[in-house]
Amino acid sequence: MKKGLVFISGFLLGVICTLPALFFIGKAASSAVNPETGFSYHSGVTLSDRPIVFTESFDFEVIQVVDKGALSLCRSRDGNPGLGICPSYLGATVFIVDDVRNMFYDGQIVKVSEGKKAYQIGIYQYMTKTVKQSL
């Protein structure tokens, strides 16, 4: 009888301690969700007040896949096909938000479809780590 009472009280204490922890975890996770779209963004994304149409480029090359998106380089418009100079992917670096339907991979070329627009929804900030090597 006493063992059953100890088991039940331990179980109830575990539930009581778990509920506040889950509440705070859920609150922290929901703060990263955009209320208008329902998407959650990477912790480095700072959303702007309203989206701005992005007209600098319509082609992007993925340089690194990160959590919830991909870092990409814009295709520059400095090429001249008549002279044999191809535009290069050396433009601005952008963060493409993963919409759960698309999977990104390094080196992938992402093109904005005909009739669609790319929007700048905010700024992405991140820190890089450098590794010092001695010879």
Side-chain angles (χ1 to χ4, degrees), residues 3-20:
K3 288 182 182 181
L5 205 59
V6 170
F7 174 77
I8 291 173
S9 63
F11 178 76
L12 291 176
L13 185 63
V15 169
I16 291 170
C17 291
T18 302
L19 290 177

Side-chain angles (χ1 to χ4, degrees), residues 47-75:
L47 296 176
S48 58
D49 293 337
R50 57 187 165 87
I52 302 166
V53 177
F54 187 79
T55 58
E56 185 174 326
S57 178
F58 301 105
D59 296 351
F60 308 93
E61 180 181 12
V62 175
I63 55 173
Q64 183 178 6
V65 177
V66 293
D67 187 32
K68 300 193 190 278
L71 290 172
S72 306
L73 292 173
C74 295
R75 183 177 184 190

Side-chain angles (χ1 to χ4, degrees), residues 4-111:
L5 205 59
V6 170
F7 174 77
I8 291 173
S9 63
F11 178 76
L12 291 176
L13 185 63
V15 169
I16 291 170
C17 291
T18 302
L19 290 177
L22 291 176
F23 172 76
F24 288 116
I25 291 171
K27 191 166 180 88
S30 68
S31 66
V33 174
N34 183 347
E36 293 176 12
T37 62
F39 287 122
S40 63
Y41 296 108
H42 194 273
S43 60
V45 174
T46 304
L47 296 176
S48 58
D49 293 337
R50 57 187 165 87
I52 302 166
V53 177
F54 187 79
T55 58
E56 185 174 326
S57 178
F58 301 105
D59 296 351
F60 308 93
E61 180 181 12
V62 175
I63 55 173
Q64 183 178 6
V65 177
V66 293
D67 187 32
K68 300 193 190 278
L71 290 172
S72 306
L73 292 173
C74 295
R75 183 177 184 190
S76 64
R77 298 177 185 228
D78 59 359
N80 187 341
L83 297 175
I85 302 170
C86 295
S88 60
Y89 289 95
L90 296 175
T93 303
V94 297
F95 178 73
I96 302 175
V97 178
D98 184 8
D99 62 358
V100 184
R101 292 177 285 164
N102 297 321
M103 299 286 292
F104 296 113
Y105 56 89
D106 292 353
Q108 177 182 5
I109 304 297
V110 178
K111 295 184 180 196

